[in-house]
Amino acid sequence: MNFPLPQALRSLTPNVHAWLPDGHATWGMANCVVVTGRHAGSGAALLVDTPYTADMTRHLQQLIAALGEGKGTSEGKRDDDDGSAARPDIRTVVNTHGNGDHSYSNGLFPGAEIIATDANGEHLCAEPSPAALAGLIAGSDPDTAFGAYVKRHFGRYGDFGGVPVVRPNRTFSGELDLDVDGVAVRLIEVGPAHTAGDLIVHLPEEGVVCAGDVLFNEDHPVHWAGPLEAVHRACVRILDCAPRVVVPGHGPVMTPADVRRYADYVWDLRAAVHRGHAAGRPLPVLAAELIAEDPYPHWGLPERMAVLAAIEYRALDGVTERPDLVGLLAFAAGFAHDRVSGTAAGSVPARSSG
Ligand SMILES: [Zn+2]
């Protein structure tokens, strides 16, 4: 790995430990959350999302193992820990959704129950496999906007090899209640929003919600399903849980006020896209305008607003076929290239905008 990873888990409560890689202004560095049980001797543990690559996952697994020794967190040994805690055993993995940066390493938790929504299967039909993504990175021309973009943002992860693709083996619709040795965990379906099959993880007694990629912090969000009204509704559902702390899919942990601000951004952007659509603005023109008028210039990846505009145009145009994720990524990459070189932005993504 040629990039830094967290040297410790951050304990949000005595039972909830977040792995928060620094992924500002890049793709793929997703957060994971470990939930441990109430009794030190049980070892029962649940993991929310698995990292992009085997190397990242082994790094996370070392920190999880160290939790059993009273180490592995930025807070160090717990006051109530007498040193006899069992090594946490990840018996349950939850995929908040099916993007590879949240699920490619499911296979490195053999024997675990892997839970996602029923609707997540719909997204998995569109998500590139690790081998397909590696092939896309290796085979794209770095002299094109798209090739340069995928090499810059995804090339660092190598060939995504060494991990068998393992899909969820338990699915549900609506809500599902779990118990991790006395810690209540409620899975709540909120998709389609970021993808067709999103869920959030609510830990009511801990005051924590793991939001998956409904939320990005300090970067512009990308959403593949939408429409943006559904993303906004998912944000409201998170706030309805009255959490103390919210873990986004990417970026630092958030407060409820941060979530409200993000929801307002999504709503304002939706209004701007609807105005553009009503005025007959071609999608590439509107996307370029949104990026030029970026309301959050300190956030990374403003070119993702092109994807948000494209999914909203799809909804407004009544397009129901499955989105072309690579086409949407290429559409965004054209605007990133545009910002660097001043050349014309990319064309409308094939099959993505109707
Ligand atoms: Zn993600």
Side-chain angles (χ1 to χ4, degrees):
M1 285 176 292
N2 57 355
F3 49 86
L5 288 172
Q7 292 307 301
L9 300 172
R10 179 170 163 197
S11 292
L12 305 177
T13 78
N15 300 103
V16 182
H17 318 279
W19 191 67
L20 305 163
D22 177 9
H24 180 61
T26 192
W27 294 68
M29 301 289 273
N31 296 328
C32 301
V33 176
V34 183
V35 180
T36 51
R38 293 236 183 273
H39 306 100
S42 93
L46 174 148
L47 178 64
V48 180
D49 287 337
T50 62
Y52 226 172
T53 71
D55 285 348
M56 294 166 78
T57 305
R58 293 198 184 96
H59 185 273
L60 169 61
Q61 286 171 322
Q62 286 172 3
L63 296 179
I64 294 172
L67 278 176
E69 298 154 16
K71 298 180 289 200
T73 76
S74 52
E75 290 73 18
K77 195 173 168 72
R78 282 160 44 185
D79 291 342
D80 61 347
D81 189 342
D82 64 3
S84 61
R87 191 182 173 120
D89 178 16
I90 302 294
R91 298 172 198 170
T92 307
V93 169
V94 175
N95 291 154
T96 57
H97 63 290
N99 283 148
D101 54 335
H102 301 257
S103 63
Y104 270 180
S105 293
N106 285 352
L108 292 179
F109 298 89
E113 184 170 60
I114 299 172
I115 306 178
T117 65
D118 291 327
N120 185 57
E122 168 68 18
H123 174 82
L124 289 175
C125 296
E127 182 76 11
S129 69
L133 182 54
L136 184 75
I137 297 162
S140 54
D141 179 355
D143 290 333
T144 64
F146 179 63
Y149 195 79
V150 295
K151 277 189 175 17
R152 182 160 80 245
H153 289 294
F154 298 91
R156 57 158 59 181
Y157 298 109
D159 66 0
F160 296 94
V163 187
V165 174
V166 173
R167 293 195 164 202
N169 50 33
R170 181 180 181 186
T171 62
F172 72 98
S173 293
E175 297 188 359
L176 179 66
D177 286 324
L178 304 171
D179 179 286
V180 182
D181 180 35
V183 177
V185 178
R186 173 164 287 186
L187 309 184
I188 303 170
E189 182 175 21
V190 296
H194 174 70
T195 67
D198 308 289
L199 64 83
I200 61 171
V201 182
H202 182 207
L203 301 151
E205 294 149 8
E206 313 292 321
V208 177
V209 169
C210 308
D213 282 1
V214 168
L215 296 178
F216 288 74
N217 193 12
E218 299 185 356
D219 279 327
H220 285 272
V222 65
H223 297 298
W224 305 109
L228 292 174
E229 182 179 17
V231 177
H232 187 271
R233 197 181 311 127
C235 294
V236 171
R237 187 71 187 84
I238 291 165
L239 291 167
D240 285 347
C241 294
R244 186 177 51 81
V245 180
V246 180
V247 183
H250 297 256
V253 296
M254 302 169 80
T255 65
D258 295 330
V259 177
R260 239 169 259 122
R261 204 160 24 243
Y262 174 94
D264 288 346
Y265 158 88
V266 169
W267 197 253
D268 291 347
L269 188 73
R270 174 184 180 273
V273 175
H274 283 225
R275 281 195 300 273
H277 188 271
R281 317 279 294 157
L283 173 59
V285 173
L286 177 70
E289 289 170 354
L290 293 172
I291 292 165
E293 296 160 10
D294 183 359
Y296 290 88
H298 55 292
W299 287 2
L301 307 174
E303 63 274 14
R304 284 175 166 176
M305 282 190 276
V307 178
L308 302 187
I311 62 161
E312 201 65 16
Y313 264 47
R314 278 173 53 92
L316 288 165
D317 292 336
V319 177
T320 55
E321 67 188 273
R322 195 171 286 147
D324 171 11
L325 305 188
V326 174
L328 287 167
L329 184 65
F331 184 51
F335 293 97
H337 183 67
D338 183 52
R339 284 191 300 127
V340 172
S341 69
T343 57
S347 59
V348 178
R351 298 185 13 230
S352 299
S353 63

